[in-house]
Amino acid sequence: MHPIRAQVPAESIARPPEPGKPCAPDVPHAPALPSTDKIPSLLFVDPPARTDLDELRQSLSFAFTSGVSGGLFSQALDRAPIAPSTWDPKSFAPDLFLEELVARCFRVRVGGHEAVVNRGFILRVLSRPPSDTRVTELRRGVLHELSGSPTFRTQLERLYTASCRMRGALEGAVAGKKFDPTRRQLDVLAIVKEVFDLMSGSFEGARSGLSRLRDFGQAVQATEGYRSMADLLDYDEHLATLRLDIRVGADGRIRGFDVVTVRERQENPFVLSPVRRWLAKLEMFFRGYSFGDGEVMARLVDAVFEGVEDQVVKLVPLVGEMEVYLGALGFRDLAEAAGLEVCLPELRSAAEGERVLLGLFNPLLVAGGGKAVPCDVVTDRADTTLLVTGPNSGGKTRLLQSVALTQLLAQAGMFVPARRASVARVPGLVVSLIQETKFDQSEGRLGMELLRIRALFEELGPGAMVILDELCSGTNPSEGEEIFELVVTLLEKLRPQAFITTHFLTFAARLEREKAIRNLRFVQVELDAAQKPTYQFVDGVAATSLAAQAAARLGVTRGELEGLIDRNIDRNQLASRALSVVGRDSAFAGPSAVGRDSAFAGPSAVGRDSAFAGPSAVGRDSAFAGPSVVGRDSAFAGPSVVGRES
């Protein structure tokens, strides 16, 4: 047996990456966005307009004023638009455990701490691969630069950390600042300025969508609203500079000080000279206005925030988009920690030919702490039906999951669980791996299997990918094979990329021998010299499912089962004997038993035969007597009692 390999032209597959870099082509320049007019999106080529923008702006203003956001960020991500897609998550997400994949594989760790991310948004992005190939290329370009440049990754992590602090400040996470609303608002403005400054000073030389963040930050810095915010924060932190002469005594303690000079920041537009401040108060007095310095500062803060509010609104969905990329990098870190590799695959059309998956592994197995054995799968065509045979627990179902997840992540623009990959685009994915019995199902196992086949053809479009585990396993082989052949024959009309497992080995061998179905290919689980699965796959049809070995491994042999039967019979006999003893000599007998031998006899019984008598009373009739007493009258007699008196 030889590994499944086809002669693939060298120029048709991306060259292996340099150590530490993903396998992806050169990153094209991301389309630029005009100034601050649009959201600086990392997920869209042309960010769609949000219909809830006014509502989002009002929620942001309320959060800034009150310190209560009402779930501003999570609600914004829940309503955020997703790129148009032809994929329907209901046809594959449950069987691929996508929620588990996001929770375990797409973790975001920054500075040694795991961040609390919006998993629902990441799940929506992954489960709806974009139809527009430009969107996929935009995402691949961002990941290519982040994984290839530690500096860019560090800068994105710092920007994300600052954005999370801004979110916490707006949501009132810092409870101590709520007692001074103006102080809290100034702190929020300081974090907002830090975010814009980080954006403008990061990602220098980036060619991907990361350059949008830098361009957006620099465009914001050029606005009047940003300059007013910077001046107000400078006024708050640096109103004036004092030069002091400090007098120190012989004991080292400060005795006093003298102010030498006071220099106010006259270049700051918020700083007024003493004369102008006095004249301003005098003018307000004659006009009948009266307010304190704190109220003046509060109004200044509100006015400054209004000047940058439109730009801050655009940062809200950006937090979720950064989590998508940091989660993808977390997936890469998880694989590397397990000694595995991921890559950005080559995406091709189905007409271009081969499917190449080298070092393929199952990320769900890795996330669960299991040891994943990478395998290679190479076929001469992408639009084929691949029939997989082999022993139970040989890795067939794991292979199907790995292939489906690779296709999904590839078209979503993410890393795939393979060292090197070349896959063909598909318009949809249908996965059927799990057949659960439901309390309200109206059909038996065969009926449910036929309904599964019917649903498959209702959902499956031309050129889509279909993943089926144990097709037609719910009926006898002769009838199941007939239905199986019907399904495989009709699937060819749709030219799908199909992966199907089966234990109909004789039937599969006949199909391989006859070659009546043109695009049907066959692979089997490889076995070592001891007839154990290697979790690799080679061409051909398996000769056996090794059911006997699986039964022995799981303890389902004749000897094991007979031993269990004998054990249960012995337990039942012992229980019956114990019950018969309790029936005649029980210490808990009815009223007639309350007397000399009763375990709960009254005070008059406390003596030689009392169940609670002291050591001297422990004897022949004690209900709780030790081993030496176990005999005719003991209510809890051990095995030695089972016999003459039983």
Side-chain angles (χ1 to χ4, degrees):
M1 294 183 292
H2 303 285
I4 313 163
R5 294 190 179 276
Q7 295 298 322
V8 183
E11 63 274 10
S12 66
I13 302 178
R15 293 185 177 183
E18 299 177 16
K21 293 188 178 181
C23 52
D26 290 338
V27 179
H29 283 290
L33 296 176
S35 64
T36 61
D37 295 339
K38 291 187 177 181
I39 297 174
S41 177
L42 297 175
L43 294 177
F44 298 94
V45 175
D46 300 310
R50 295 193 61 135
T51 57
D52 62 340
L53 196 59
D54 290 338
E55 180 182 352
L56 186 60
R57 186 181 293 106
Q58 292 175 2
S59 299
L60 179 65
S61 179
F62 179 77
F64 179 75
T65 302
S66 65
V68 179
S69 69
L72 166 66
F73 283 80
S74 60
Q75 290 178 7
L77 291 177
D78 291 342
R79 297 195 298 252
I82 299 297
S85 175
T86 58
W87 291 48
D88 182 6
K90 294 192 299 294
S91 65
F92 59 85
D95 292 74
L96 293 183
F97 302 99
L98 280 193
E99 291 187 7
E100 194 75 10
L101 179 77
V102 171
R104 295 195 175 193
C105 296
F106 278 70
R107 293 179 173 179
V108 176
R109 295 187 64 86
V110 179
H113 301 282
E114 185 170 343
V116 179
V117 302
N118 190 308
R119 294 176 181 172
F121 180 72
I122 299 177
L123 181 63
R124 291 174 61 210
V125 171
L126 296 184
S127 62
R128 292 173 174 83
S131 302
D132 189 346
T133 58
R134 298 179 305 155
V135 176
T136 305
E137 292 304 318
L138 172 71
R139 299 175 182 180
R140 286 159 52 87
V142 172
L143 276 180
H144 179 75
E145 288 197 327
L146 286 174
S147 58
S149 171
T151 300
F152 285 172
R153 177 173 181 174
T154 300
Q155 290 173 345
L156 185 68
E157 290 175 345
R158 289 175 179 171
L159 178 59
Y160 174 71
T161 301
S163 300
C164 289
R165 289 173 46 230
M166 178 187 70
R167 176 178 61 190
L170 284 169
E171 293 177 344
V174 186
K177 301 294 184 182
K178 289 185 177 181
F179 297 107
D180 186 351
T182 302
R183 181 73 264 158
R184 186 193 67 83
Q185 292 174 338
L186 286 169
D187 290 343
V188 171
L189 289 178
I191 301 174
V192 168
K193 180 179 180 296
E194 179 186 355
V195 171
F196 288 134
D197 291 346
L198 285 172
M199 294 176 74
S200 66
S202 302
F203 314 115
E204 183 177 3
R207 295 165 52 87
S208 69
L210 294 174
S211 62
R212 292 179 169 185
L213 302 183
R214 181 180 178 86
D215 295 341
F216 181 77
Q218 292 177 347
V220 170
Q221 286 181 331
T223 62
E224 184 63 31
Y226 174 87
R227 288 194 292 268
S228 297
M229 178 177 63
D231 289 337
L232 179 62
L233 292 172
D234 182 66
Y235 170 75
D236 178 58
E237 291 292 332
H238 194 181
L239 173 62
T241 302
L242 302 180
R243 292 186 60 188
L244 306 174
D245 284 344
I246 300 176
R247 299 189 302 276
V248 181
D251 57 357
R253 296 184 178 181
I254 296 176
R255 294 291 190 263
F257 61 86
D258 298 319
V259 177
V260 179
T261 60
V262 177
R263 187 176 69 84
E264 293 186 338
R265 298 285 300 278
Q266 296 298 329
E267 65 274 15
N268 191 309
F270 288 95
V271 177
L272 301 178
S273 65
V275 175
R276 290 184 61 188
R277 290 198 291 269
W278 183 81
L279 290 175
K281 290 186 177 182
L282 186 63
E283 180 183 1
M284 293 297 102
F285 174 77
F286 281 112
R287 290 188 176 186
Y289 298 112
S290 177
F291 44 80
D293 292 338
E295 187 177 354
V296 173
M297 175 59 80
R299 295 190 179 187
L300 286 175
V301 169
D302 290 338
V304 165
F305 182 74
E306 289 179 4
V308 296
E309 187 175 25
D310 288 341
Q311 284 70 47
V312 177
V313 167
K314 297 178 176 63
L315 298 178
V316 175
L318 186 60
V319 175
E321 295 189 5
M322 287 189 287
E323 289 177 348
V324 172
Y325 290 101
L326 292 174
L329 293 172
F331 171 47
R332 180 171 177 258
D333 295 341
L334 176 69
E336 290 181 348
L340 302 167
E341 296 182 53
V342 299
C343 76
L344 293 171
E346 181 183 6
L347 281 173
R348 311 155 62 128
S349 67
E352 291 178 344
E354 302 82 7
R355 176 191 293 110
V356 180
L357 301 173
L358 304 181
L360 178 69
F361 67 91
N362 192 304
L364 295 170
L365 184 61
V366 176
K371 179 177 175 55
V373 180
C375 65
D376 297 344
V377 176
V378 181
T379 57
D380 60 329
R381 296 181 59 88
D383 54 345
T384 61
T385 296
L386 196 64
L387 209 58
V388 185
T389 58
N392 296 286
S393 302
K396 300 189 302 298
T397 303
R398 294 288 188 181
L399 173 67
L400 298 191
Q401 284 181 330
S402 304
V403 170
L405 289 173
T406 296
Q407 191 71 36
L408 173 67
L409 294 173
Q411 292 195 218
M414 302 289 111
F415 292 119
V416 301
R419 183 181 73 255
R420 185 180 179 190
S422 176
V423 299
R425 296 180 184 274
V426 295
L429 173 65
V430 178
V431 178
S432 181
L433 299 180
I434 304 169
Q435 291 298 302
E436 297 180 348
T437 301
K438 300 180 180 179
F439 73 94
D440 59 346
Q441 69 183 38
S442 58
E443 299 287 345
R445 186 174 179 184
L446 174 60
M448 297 303 295
E449 179 71 7
L450 296 176
L451 290 176
R452 175 169 78 137
I453 295 172
R454 169 77 184 192
L456 166 67
F457 283 95
E458 288 177 349
E459 300 173 6
L460 192 64
M465 175 174 280
V466 56
I467 306 290
L468 294 174
D469 193 25
E470 302 294 345
L471 180 61
C472 296
S473 60
T475 185
N476 66 78
S478 59
E479 294 177 332
E481 290 171 3
E482 182 179 351
I483 300 173
F484 193 114
E485 188 168 6
L486 173 66
V487 172
V488 174
T489 303
L490 294 180
L491 278 178
E492 189 176 15
K493 292 186 176 182
L494 295 172
R495 298 187 67 84
Q497 300 184 37
F499 290 77
I500 305 174
T501 64
T502 182
H503 282 285
F504 296 158
L505 303 184
T506 304
F507 168 69
R510 177 176 67 80
L511 292 180
E512 182 189 33
R513 184 173 59 253
E514 294 177 352
K515 295 182 172 54
I517 303 175
R518 184 169 58 90
N519 287 330
L520 191 59
R521 305 290 186 271
F522 301 86
V523 298
Q524 61 176 313
V525 177
E526 183 185 52
L527 302 177
D528 60 15
Q531 293 294 292
K532 294 183 178 180
T534 65
Y535 305 106
Q536 303 298 315
F537 295 86
V538 295
D539 56 353
V541 176
T544 175
S545 293
L546 297 180
Q549 288 190 10
R553 178 172 56 84
L554 299 175
V556 189
T557 64
R558 184 179 186 87
E560 291 273 359
L561 297 181
E562 286 183 343
L564 293 175
I565 292 173
D566 293 341
R567 185 195 66 183
N568 292 339
I569 292 175
D570 291 341
R571 284 180 177 177
N572 186 67
Q573 291 177 347
L574 289 175
S576 299
R577 292 170 181 173
L579 288 175
S580 64
V581 171
V582 171
R584 185 169 60 88
D585 297 323
S586 175
F588 298 90
S592 60
V594 177
R596 181 176 56 85
D597 296 326
S598 173
F600 294 90
S604 61
V606 177
R608 179 175 55 86
D609 297 324
S610 175
F612 296 92
S616 61
V618 177
R620 177 173 56 86
D621 297 321
S622 175
F624 293 90
S628 62
V629 186
V630 176
R632 178 173 55 85
D633 295 323
S634 175
F636 295 90
S640 61
V641 179
V642 180
R644 180 174 55 85
E645 301 289 339
S646 175

